Amino acid sequence: FNLSQTLPQPQPTVDCPSFANPPPSTLPALESGGPAARKGLCQGDCDPTGPSRCKSGLICYQRTSANKEDSIPGCSGTSKLNADYCVVEVPNNYLTVKGTSGQCTNNKPCKRCQGFCVNNNHCAGDLKCFKRGSDSAANGPKKAVPGCCGTGVPGKNYCYRDEDRRLVKGTAL
C-alpha cells in the first residue's frame, strides 16, 4: 500500500423514495373517475376535503394548469388532464410546482425542488435555478434536477442547491 495514493472518497447520495424513479411496470396504474367515495392509491379524481378524499395514509396530489403534465408520484400510466390523484406523502425533495401558476418571482421565491424559476433571483436564499430547456439544450427537458426526485414538468426549470450537483444516486447527476 502506497501512502501517497489518493483513495476515492465516498459520494454523497440523494434520498429518493422507491417510487420516484422505479421501472414503470412496478408501479400501480392510474385510475380515473368513479363514485364520490374514498379513493385508494393512484385513484382520482380526489378532493382533499370533499366526499372523494383519499383513504387514510394517502394525500391528494393536486395539480393545476401549471403542472397538469406532471407525472403522478408512485403511479404509472396516463393521467386524466387536470385530475388529482391519491398518493403516498410526497417528500420535500420531490419536484413540485409552486402554487397554482407555477411561477417563482423575486418577491415570492421558490423553495428547493420547486418550480418554475427563470433565474437565480426566483429561488430562495442560496438556491439556484436549474434550467432544463429544450431537447437540444445541454440540460434537456427531462434532465434530472440535482438533489431532487421525480421528473417534474418537462422543459421547466426548478430551484436546487448548488452543492447537490455532486450527488450520485436516484435522479442526481
Side-chain angles (χ1 to χ4, degrees):
F1 181 74
N2 183 345
L3 291 178
S4 65
Q5 284 181 316
T6 303
L7 296 175
Q9 296 297 311
Q11 294 290 317
T13 61
V14 63
D15 185 24
C16 290
S18 60
F19 68 74
N21 293 303
S25 62
T26 64
L27 296 173
L30 290 169
E31 296 177 36
S32 294
R38 291 210 175 233
K39 308 287 183 184
L41 181 63
C42 300
Q43 289 182 330
D45 191 11
C46 59
D47 179 359
T49 58
S52 294
R53 54 188 187 273
C54 299
K55 290 181 179 179
S56 179
L58 301 174
I59 62 163
C60 186
Y61 184 73
Q62 293 193 285
R63 300 186 312 156
T64 64
S65 59
N67 70 344
K68 64 185 175 194
E69 299 173 55
D70 238 352
S71 59
I72 308 300
C75 303
S76 66
T78 303
S79 61
K80 184 177 173 185
L81 189 63
N82 292 329
D84 304 325
Y85 291 88
C86 295
V87 299
V88 294
E89 184 71 40
V90 180
N92 63 6
N93 66 335
Y94 194 85
L95 291 174
T96 59
V97 174
K98 181 178 180 77
T100 58
S101 67
Q103 293 303 314
C104 312
T105 65
N106 292 353
N107 295 331
K108 293 185 179 182
C110 281
K111 298 174 186 173
R112 180 178 173 227
C113 302
Q114 220 177 23
F116 309 123
C117 56
V118 174
N119 58 53
N120 293 344
N121 294 332
H122 291 171
C123 299
D126 293 334
L127 298 176
K128 294 186 177 183
C129 183
F130 187 79
K131 298 182 180 179
R132 302 205 295 179
S134 66
D135 283 322
S136 60
N139 294 333
K142 293 185 179 181
K143 180 76 172 179
V145 178
C148 301
C149 300
T151 57
V153 178
K156 297 296 184 177
N157 307 329
Y158 292 84
C159 296
Y160 75 102
R161 294 184 310 197
D162 196 41
E163 63 265 23
D164 286 340
R165 282 193 170 274
R166 68 186 191 283
L167 298 176
V168 296
K169 183 182 175 189
T171 60
L173 303 176

PDB file of all heavy atoms in Angstrom, residues 141-165:
ATOM      1  N   PRO A 141     -35.020  18.628 -21.563  1.00  0.00           N
ATOM      2  CA  PRO A 141     -36.272  18.896 -20.871  1.00  0.00           C
ATOM      3  C   PRO A 141     -36.583  17.935 -19.728  1.00  0.00           C
ATOM      4  O   PRO A 141     -37.309  18.266 -18.821  1.00  0.00           O
ATOM      5  CB  PRO A 141     -37.328  18.780 -21.977  1.00  0.00           C
ATOM      6  CG  PRO A 141     -36.698  17.960 -23.030  1.00  0.00           C
ATOM      7  CD  PRO A 141     -35.220  18.254 -22.959  1.00  0.00           C
ATOM      8  N   LYS A 142     -35.996  16.741 -19.764  1.00  0.00           N
ATOM      9  CA  LYS A 142     -36.239  15.777 -18.683  1.00  0.00           C
ATOM     10  C   LYS A 142     -34.980  15.539 -17.853  1.00  0.00           C
ATOM     11  O   LYS A 142     -34.913  14.600 -17.078  1.00  0.00           O
ATOM     12  CB  LYS A 142     -36.761  14.459 -19.259  1.00  0.00           C
ATOM     13  CG  LYS A 142     -38.139  14.602 -19.856  1.00  0.00           C
ATOM     14  CD  LYS A 142     -38.680  13.269 -20.304  1.00  0.00           C
ATOM     15  CE  LYS A 142     -40.075  13.441 -20.883  1.00  0.00           C
ATOM     16  NZ  LYS A 142     -40.656  12.170 -21.299  1.00  0.00           N
ATOM     17  N   LYS A 143     -33.985  16.400 -18.011  1.00  0.00           N
ATOM     18  CA  LYS A 143     -32.731  16.271 -17.265  1.00  0.00           C
ATOM     19  C   LYS A 143     -33.029  16.290 -15.776  1.00  0.00           C
ATOM     20  O   LYS A 143     -33.832  17.084 -15.296  1.00  0.00           O
ATOM     21  CB  LYS A 143     -31.797  17.426 -17.640  1.00  0.00           C
ATOM     22  CG  LYS A 143     -30.471  17.411 -16.941  1.00  0.00           C
ATOM     23  CD  LYS A 143     -29.564  16.377 -17.528  1.00  0.00           C
ATOM     24  CE  LYS A 143     -28.166  16.519 -16.943  1.00  0.00           C
ATOM     25  NZ  LYS A 143     -27.270  15.544 -17.458  1.00  0.00           N
ATOM     26  N   ALA A 144     -32.384  15.403 -15.036  1.00  0.00           N
ATOM     27  CA  ALA A 144     -32.580  15.338 -13.591  1.00  0.00           C
ATOM     28  C   ALA A 144     -32.116  16.630 -12.937  1.00  0.00           C
ATOM     29  O   ALA A 144     -31.080  17.180 -13.282  1.00  0.00           O
ATOM     30  CB  ALA A 144     -31.796  14.155 -13.030  1.00  0.00           C
ATOM     31  N   VAL A 145     -32.907  17.121 -12.005  1.00  0.00           N
ATOM     32  CA  VAL A 145     -32.551  18.316 -11.245  1.00  0.00           C
ATOM     33  C   VAL A 145     -31.720  17.855 -10.047  1.00  0.00           C
ATOM     34  O   VAL A 145     -32.172  17.000  -9.282  1.00  0.00           O
ATOM     35  CB  VAL A 145     -33.810  19.083 -10.794  1.00  0.00           C
ATOM     36  CG1 VAL A 145     -33.435  20.292  -9.954  1.00  0.00           C
ATOM     37  CG2 VAL A 145     -34.629  19.505 -12.011  1.00  0.00           C
ATOM     38  N   PRO A 146     -30.509  18.387  -9.867  1.00  0.00           N
ATOM     39  CA  PRO A 146     -29.636  17.928  -8.789  1.00  0.00           C
ATOM     40  C   PRO A 146     -30.301  17.957  -7.411  1.00  0.00           C
ATOM     41  O   PRO A 146     -30.888  18.964  -7.016  1.00  0.00           O
ATOM     42  CB  PRO A 146     -28.459  18.913  -8.834  1.00  0.00           C
ATOM     43  CG  PRO A 146     -28.444  19.415 -10.238  1.00  0.00           C
ATOM     44  CD  PRO A 146     -29.891  19.467 -10.651  1.00  0.00           C
ATOM     45  N   GLY A 147     -30.225  16.820  -6.718  1.00  0.00           N
ATOM     46  CA  GLY A 147     -30.748  16.719  -5.361  1.00  0.00           C
ATOM     47  C   GLY A 147     -32.251  16.541  -5.269  1.00  0.00           C
ATOM     48  O   GLY A 147     -32.795  16.480  -4.186  1.00  0.00           O
ATOM     49  N   CYS A 148     -32.928  16.460  -6.414  1.00  0.00           N
ATOM     50  CA  CYS A 148     -34.387  16.354  -6.420  1.00  0.00           C
ATOM     51  C   CYS A 148     -34.824  15.020  -7.013  1.00  0.00           C
ATOM     52  O   CYS A 148     -34.128  14.440  -7.832  1.00  0.00           O
ATOM     53  CB  CYS A 148     -35.001  17.499  -7.229  1.00  0.00           C
ATOM     54  SG  CYS A 148     -34.579  19.142  -6.608  1.00  0.00           S
ATOM     55  N   CYS A 149     -35.996  14.560  -6.610  1.00  0.00           N
ATOM     56  CA  CYS A 149     -36.557  13.296  -7.092  1.00  0.00           C
ATOM     57  C   CYS A 149     -37.718  13.562  -8.032  1.00  0.00           C
ATOM     58  O   CYS A 149     -38.369  14.602  -7.952  1.00  0.00           O
ATOM     59  CB  CYS A 149     -37.069  12.475  -5.918  1.00  0.00           C
ATOM     60  SG  CYS A 149     -35.813  12.068  -4.705  1.00  0.00           S
ATOM     61  N   GLY A 150     -37.991  12.623  -8.912  1.00  0.00           N
ATOM     62  CA  GLY A 150     -39.106  12.742  -9.832  1.00  0.00           C
ATOM     63  C   GLY A 150     -38.696  13.416 -11.130  1.00  0.00           C
ATOM     64  O   GLY A 150     -37.551  13.817 -11.303  1.00  0.00           O
ATOM     65  N   THR A 151     -39.645  13.530 -12.054  1.00  0.00           N
ATOM     66  CA  THR A 151     -39.341  14.112 -13.359  1.00  0.00           C
ATOM     67  C   THR A 151     -39.874  15.522 -13.522  1.00  0.00           C
ATOM     68  O   THR A 151     -39.376  16.285 -14.332  1.00  0.00           O
ATOM     69  CB  THR A 151     -39.925  13.247 -14.491  1.00  0.00           C
ATOM     70  OG1 THR A 151     -41.332  13.123 -14.290  1.00  0.00           O
ATOM     71  CG2 THR A 151     -39.282  11.876 -14.525  1.00  0.00           C
ATOM     72  N   GLY A 152     -40.890  15.909 -12.757  1.00  0.00           N
ATOM     73  CA  GLY A 152     -41.462  17.241 -12.895  1.00  0.00           C
ATOM     74  C   GLY A 152     -42.073  17.446 -14.274  1.00  0.00           C
ATOM     75  O   GLY A 152     -42.361  16.503 -14.994  1.00  0.00           O
ATOM     76  N   VAL A 153     -42.256  18.704 -14.648  1.00  0.00           N
ATOM     77  CA  VAL A 153     -42.820  19.046 -15.952  1.00  0.00           C
ATOM     78  C   VAL A 153     -41.666  19.201 -16.934  1.00  0.00           C
ATOM     79  O   VAL A 153     -40.759  20.008 -16.708  1.00  0.00           O
ATOM     80  CB  VAL A 153     -43.651  20.345 -15.873  1.00  0.00           C
ATOM     81  CG1 VAL A 153     -44.184  20.720 -17.242  1.00  0.00           C
ATOM     82  CG2 VAL A 153     -44.799  20.183 -14.887  1.00  0.00           C
ATOM     83  N   PRO A 154     -41.657  18.438 -18.034  1.00  0.00           N
ATOM     84  CA  PRO A 154     -40.554  18.529 -18.999  1.00  0.00           C
ATOM     85  C   PRO A 154     -40.345  19.957 -19.499  1.00  0.00           C
ATOM     86  O   PRO A 154     -41.292  20.679 -19.766  1.00  0.00           O
ATOM     87  CB  PRO A 154     -41.015  17.613 -20.143  1.00  0.00           C
ATOM     88  CG  PRO A 154     -41.974  16.661 -19.507  1.00  0.00           C
ATOM     89  CD  PRO A 154     -42.666  17.463 -18.441  1.00  0.00           C
ATOM     90  N   GLY A 155     -39.077  20.360 -19.572  1.00  0.00           N
ATOM     91  CA  GLY A 155     -38.716  21.668 -20.096  1.00  0.00           C
ATOM     92  C   GLY A 155     -38.841  22.807 -19.107  1.00  0.00           C
ATOM     93  O   GLY A 155     -38.507  23.943 -19.424  1.00  0.00           O
ATOM     94  N   LYS A 156     -39.318  22.533 -17.895  1.00  0.00           N
ATOM     95  CA  LYS A 156     -39.479  23.591 -16.896  1.00  0.00           C
ATOM     96  C   LYS A 156     -38.286  23.600 -15.942  1.00  0.00           C
ATOM     97  O   LYS A 156     -37.641  22.586 -15.704  1.00  0.00           O
ATOM     98  CB  LYS A 156     -40.780  23.411 -16.112  1.00  0.00           C
ATOM     99  CG  LYS A 156     -42.013  23.526 -16.985  1.00  0.00           C
ATOM    100  CD  LYS A 156     -42.146  24.921 -17.585  1.00  0.00           C
ATOM    101  CE  LYS A 156     -43.430  25.050 -18.383  1.00  0.00           C
ATOM    102  NZ  LYS A 156     -43.642  26.383 -18.911  1.00  0.00           N
ATOM    103  N   ASN A 157     -38.004  24.771 -15.376  1.00  0.00           N
ATOM    104  CA  ASN A 157     -36.849  24.978 -14.504  1.00  0.00           C
ATOM    105  C   ASN A 157     -37.247  24.902 -13.035  1.00  0.00           C
ATOM    106  O   ASN A 157     -38.324  25.359 -12.661  1.00  0.00           O
ATOM    107  CB  ASN A 157     -36.236  26.349 -14.792  1.00  0.00           C
ATOM    108  CG  ASN A 157     -35.918  26.547 -16.257  1.00  0.00           C
ATOM    109  OD1 ASN A 157     -35.597  25.604 -16.966  1.00  0.00           O
ATOM    110  ND2 ASN A 157     -36.023  27.778 -16.703  1.00  0.00           N
ATOM    111  N   TYR A 158     -36.343  24.354 -12.221  1.00  0.00           N
ATOM    112  CA  TYR A 158     -36.599  24.169 -10.798  1.00  0.00           C
ATOM    113  C   TYR A 158     -35.417  24.680  -9.970  1.00  0.00           C
ATOM    114  O   TYR A 158     -34.273  24.668 -10.426  1.00  0.00           O
ATOM    115  CB  TYR A 158     -36.812  22.678 -10.488  1.00  0.00           C
ATOM    116  CG  TYR A 158     -38.082  22.125 -11.090  1.00  0.00           C
ATOM    117  CD1 TYR A 158     -38.121  21.684 -12.403  1.00  0.00           C
ATOM    118  CD2 TYR A 158     -39.250  22.066 -10.341  1.00  0.00           C
ATOM    119  CE1 TYR A 158     -39.293  21.190 -12.961  1.00  0.00           C
ATOM    120  CE2 TYR A 158     -40.425  21.568 -10.890  1.00  0.00           C
ATOM    121  CZ  TYR A 158     -40.441  21.133 -12.196  1.00  0.00           C
ATOM    122  OH  TYR A 158     -41.597  20.644 -12.741  1.00  0.00           O
ATOM    123  N   CYS A 159     -35.702  25.094  -8.728  1.00  0.00           N
ATOM    124  CA  CYS A 159     -34.655  25.570  -7.814  1.00  0.00           C
ATOM    125  C   CYS A 159     -33.953  24.374  -7.167  1.00  0.00           C
ATOM    126  O   CYS A 159     -34.585  23.363  -6.861  1.00  0.00           O
ATOM    127  CB  CYS A 159     -35.272  26.466  -6.743  1.00  0.00           C
ATOM    128  SG  CYS A 159     -36.000  27.982  -7.413  1.00  0.00           S
ATOM    129  N   TYR A 160     -32.648  24.515  -6.966  1.00  0.00           N
ATOM    130  CA  TYR A 160     -31.855  23.438  -6.377  1.00  0.00           C
ATOM    131  C   TYR A 160     -30.703  24.033  -5.579  1.00  0.00           C
ATOM    132  O   TYR A 160     -30.392  25.216  -5.684  1.00  0.00           O
ATOM    133  CB  TYR A 160     -31.316  22.498  -7.465  1.00  0.00           C
ATOM    134  CG  TYR A 160     -30.155  23.086  -8.242  1.00  0.00           C
ATOM    135  CD1 TYR A 160     -28.847  22.684  -7.978  1.00  0.00           C
ATOM    136  CD2 TYR A 160     -30.363  24.066  -9.211  1.00  0.00           C
ATOM    137  CE1 TYR A 160     -27.780  23.248  -8.671  1.00  0.00           C
ATOM    138  CE2 TYR A 160     -29.306  24.620  -9.906  1.00  0.00           C
ATOM    139  CZ  TYR A 160     -28.021  24.214  -9.633  1.00  0.00           C
ATOM    140  OH  TYR A 160     -26.962  24.770 -10.308  1.00  0.00           O
ATOM    141  N   ARG A 161     -30.067  23.193  -4.762  1.00  0.00           N
ATOM    142  CA  ARG A 161     -28.861  23.593  -4.015  1.00  0.00           C
ATOM    143  C   ARG A 161     -27.650  23.263  -4.871  1.00  0.00           C
ATOM    144  O   ARG A 161     -27.530  22.143  -5.367  1.00  0.00           O
ATOM    145  CB  ARG A 161     -28.753  22.829  -2.690  1.00  0.00           C
ATOM    146  CG  ARG A 161     -29.827  23.149  -1.703  1.00  0.00           C
ATOM    147  CD  ARG A 161     -29.610  22.441  -0.393  1.00  0.00           C
ATOM    148  NE  ARG A 161     -29.352  21.009  -0.597  1.00  0.00           N
ATOM    149  CZ  ARG A 161     -29.435  20.085   0.343  1.00  0.00           C
ATOM    150  NH1 ARG A 161     -29.785  20.424   1.556  1.00  0.00           N
ATOM    151  NH2 ARG A 161     -29.186  18.826   0.084  1.00  0.00           N
ATOM    152  N   ASP A 162     -26.770  24.229  -5.021  1.00  0.00           N
ATOM    153  CA  ASP A 162     -25.586  24.025  -5.862  1.00  0.00           C
ATOM    154  C   ASP A 162     -24.748  22.843  -5.378  1.00  0.00           C
ATOM    155  O   ASP A 162     -24.201  22.091  -6.184  1.00  0.00           O
ATOM    156  CB  ASP A 162     -24.754  25.306  -5.907  1.00  0.00           C
ATOM    157  CG  ASP A 162     -23.746  25.295  -7.047  1.00  0.00           C
ATOM    158  OD1 ASP A 162     -24.107  24.832  -8.150  1.00  0.00           O
ATOM    159  OD2 ASP A 162     -22.614  25.741  -6.836  1.00  0.00           O
ATOM    160  N   GLU A 163     -24.669  22.655  -4.060  1.00  0.00           N
ATOM    161  CA  GLU A 163     -23.863  21.536  -3.540  1.00  0.00           C
ATOM    162  C   GLU A 163     -24.446  20.176  -3.919  1.00  0.00           C
ATOM    163  O   GLU A 163     -23.765  19.159  -3.857  1.00  0.00           O
ATOM    164  CB  GLU A 163     -23.656  21.640  -2.027  1.00  0.00           C
ATOM    165  CG  GLU A 163     -24.912  21.569  -1.196  1.00  0.00           C
ATOM    166  CD  GLU A 163     -25.495  22.935  -0.818  1.00  0.00           C
ATOM    167  OE1 GLU A 163     -25.226  23.929  -1.515  1.00  0.00           O
ATOM    168  OE2 GLU A 163     -26.218  22.986   0.171  1.00  0.00           O
ATOM    169  N   ASP A 164     -25.705  20.130  -4.356  1.00  0.00           N
ATOM    170  CA  ASP A 164     -26.316  18.865  -4.771  1.00  0.00           C
ATOM    171  C   ASP A 164     -25.847  18.410  -6.149  1.00  0.00           C
ATOM    172  O   ASP A 164     -26.162  17.298  -6.571  1.00  0.00           O
ATOM    173  CB  ASP A 164     -27.840  18.983  -4.780  1.00  0.00           C
ATOM    174  CG  ASP A 164     -28.422  18.993  -3.372  1.00  0.00           C
ATOM    175  OD1 ASP A 164     -27.733  18.547  -2.428  1.00  0.00           O
ATOM    176  OD2 ASP A 164     -29.561  19.458  -3.217  1.00  0.00           O
ATOM    177  N   ARG A 165     -25.117  19.209  -6.876  1.00  0.00           N
ATOM    178  CA  ARG A 165     -24.605  18.810  -8.206  1.00  0.00           C
ATOM    179  C   ARG A 165     -23.734  17.563  -8.136  1.00  0.00           C
ATOM    180  O   ARG A 165     -23.565  16.860  -9.114  1.00  0.00           O
ATOM    181  CB  ARG A 165     -23.820  19.932  -8.855  1.00  0.00           C
ATOM    182  CG  ARG A 165     -24.695  20.984  -9.456  1.00  0.00           C
ATOM    183  CD  ARG A 165     -23.837  21.877 -10.352  1.00  0.00           C
ATOM    184  NE  ARG A 165     -24.651  22.755 -11.147  1.00  0.00           N
ATOM    185  CZ  ARG A 165     -25.178  22.439 -12.323  1.00  0.00           C
ATOM    186  NH1 ARG A 165     -24.988  21.257 -12.853  1.00  0.00           N
ATOM    187  NH2 ARG A 165     -25.903  23.297 -12.988  1.00  0.00           N
TER     188      ARG A 165
END
